[in-house]
Amino acid sequence: MAWAHRWMMAAPSPCAAGSRVLVAPLPDEPHLAGVTFAACAHERAGGAVSVVFERSAAGLCGVLERHRFDVLQLCSSEALVRQDHLQAVADLITQARRASIEPRLAVLLRGRIFTEQPGLAVVLGADDSFAAGTMDDAALASVLHWCRRRGESAALMAAQATLMEVARHVGERRFNQG
């Protein structure tokens, strides 16, 4: 964390209207660089950041059931692709959305695989992913704006449901091959 702070600009103080962000590695993810960089990026964007290291999906969902967060940032390895974990990531996103007491929870993914395949996060059911260094207040505000608006509009909720259904079918075809 100290190394990351030396290389990044100073973070503004989180404001009362700032996002409440939960940053966590994916369960069983031993690499923590992504968690550090994501937490720093959210702090720079003005978020109130909490970091947890839950060993299971149930543990992470328990945190979301007890505390309100606007953003869930899940981090995988910045070094390894981890293609074999994608179905588990999709399942975790679905479970996290169901468990969250914030119905407009924004789910963001981070890691090498999402940097190399930018659209993959949406296919897995997340709202977006941010490559290293690309998260700023404007990008985060845009994602949060979408997440807040979809809860206010029946049309946006239907669009999100359709997108999730398409993503589920794409995921089933992709993960069930072989």
Side-chain angles (χ1 to χ4, degrees):
M1 274 297 254
W3 178 85
H5 280 288
R6 275 196 305 261
W7 290 100
M8 296 180 177
M9 295 173 55
S13 300
C15 61
S19 305
R20 294 159 300 206
V21 182
L22 179 63
V23 178
L26 292 167
D28 297 325
E29 176 58 60
H31 295 157
L32 302 180
V35 172
T36 301
F37 293 132
C40 290
H42 283 289
E43 284 179 351
R44 277 195 337 270
V49 178
S50 298
V51 179
V52 296
F53 299 93
E54 293 295 333
R55 294 181 181 255
S56 67
L60 184 61
C61 289
V63 173
L64 293 168
E65 288 172 343
R66 293 186 304 275
H67 305 283
R68 184 174 301 276
F69 292 98
D70 301 304
V71 179
L72 171 61
Q73 173 79 62
L74 297 171
C75 303
S76 67
S77 175
E78 296 288 332
L80 304 174
V81 173
R82 302 217 189 282
Q83 186 86 22
D84 56 327
H85 292 125
L86 294 179
Q87 184 61 56
V89 173
D91 294 343
L92 176 59
I93 292 168
T94 300
Q95 294 168 21
R97 288 189 190 281
R98 286 185 185 140
S100 176
I101 58 175
E102 172 53 64
R104 300 173 299 184
L105 178 71
V107 179
L108 306 177
L109 298 177
R110 181 186 176 98
R112 180 175 176 181
I113 192 165
F114 307 111
T115 300
E116 292 178 358
Q117 301 178 52
L120 181 59
V122 174
V123 170
L124 296 176
D127 294 293
D128 209 333
S129 65
F130 291 97
T134 63
M135 184 183 304
D136 60 15
D137 357 355
L140 186 57
S142 175
V143 170
L144 290 176
H145 177 74
W146 158 253
C147 293
R148 289 179 182 128
R149 291 294 307 219
R150 74 173 173 222
E152 299 168 2
S153 164
L156 287 175
M157 289 177 72
Q160 179 74 16
T162 301
L163 180 60
M164 298 297 280
E165 187 67 17
V166 169
R168 187 178 64 76
H169 285 297
V170 169
E172 286 175 354
R173 292 185 73 191
R174 180 175 183 173
F175 303 130
N176 291 333
Q177 293 178 354

